[in-house]
Structures are given as C-alpha cells and as structure tokens.
Amino acid sequence: MQTVPLKLVTIIAEAFLEEKLVREVKKLGASGYTLSPARGEGSRGVRASEWEGGNVRLEVVASPQVAERILERLAEVYFPSYAVIAFTQTVEVVRGEKYA
C-alpha cells in the first residue's frame, strides 16, 4: 500500500480560542481538522475550576507548507498572549492526495 508523507499539526489551546483557531487553520490551507477536549498540566499549571474553561486539541493533517504557515501564525498571534502549545509530526497517510 502506498502512503504519502504529510505533517500532523497538533494544537492544544484554551477552549475559548476554538472558533478562531478553526477559522485560522482553514484560512491557511487546511482542508479539514479533528477537534477534541484536552486535559493536562503545563507550564501554567492545572486549571483551578471549570469556569476558567477547558482546553481543546485541534489536529490537522496537511502538506509541510500548510503546516509551516499554521505554526508561523500561531507563533505570531497566539503564543505571546494565550496558553497554546503546538507541535508537528511527520505521518504516513493512506490516500494522502486528499491533503496535498
């Protein structure tokens, strides 16, 4: 079976950023995304209560060029002011032509 190497971009952010982040990744070229709730502890600690809101995990499979644009935008707009982490992994995708 033939696969295509692409990038999996994972963004974990404050839940109130969900709609903005989805708009951003689509605008930057992502053809789709997966969204799920996220919990954990990071440099800013664990959230003390639910009223602060939860976190979301946004995942995008994209070409390396689109992945780079997403990371650049996050670094420029979101990293300075919000609790956001992002990372990429190279993934081998079946039917990768859908994402390239």
Side-chain angles (χ1 to χ4, degrees):
M1 179 175 305
Q2 188 170 6
T3 60
V4 176
L6 294 170
K7 292 292 186 179
L8 170 63
V9 179
T10 302
I11 305 164
I12 300 171
E14 298 170 83
F16 77 89
L17 293 173
E18 177 182 325
E19 289 181 21
K20 283 183 174 185
L21 290 171
V22 167
R23 278 195 304 270
E24 291 272 11
V25 299
K26 290 171 75 175
K27 185 173 101 176
L28 294 167
S31 60
Y33 62 91
T34 299
L35 191 64
S36 58
R39 294 189 322 232
E41 181 176 349
S43 62
R44 297 183 183 207
V46 176
R47 295 185 185 272
S49 65
E50 284 300 313
W51 67 266
E52 291 178 309
N55 293 318
V56 293
R57 180 182 185 115
L58 176 62
E59 295 178 304
V60 174
V61 174
S63 68
Q65 296 82 8
V66 169
E68 184 65 26
R69 285 198 300 265
I70 292 170
L71 292 176
E72 287 173 355
R73 183 68 176 167
L74 291 171
E76 174 187 329
V77 175
Y78 295 93
F79 290 169
S81 302
Y82 303 104
V84 177
I85 184 172
F87 55 91
T88 64
Q89 301 170 333
T90 301
V91 293
E92 295 290 328
V93 179
V94 178
R95 296 175 48 192
E97 66 278 357
K98 293 175 57 176
Y99 305 95

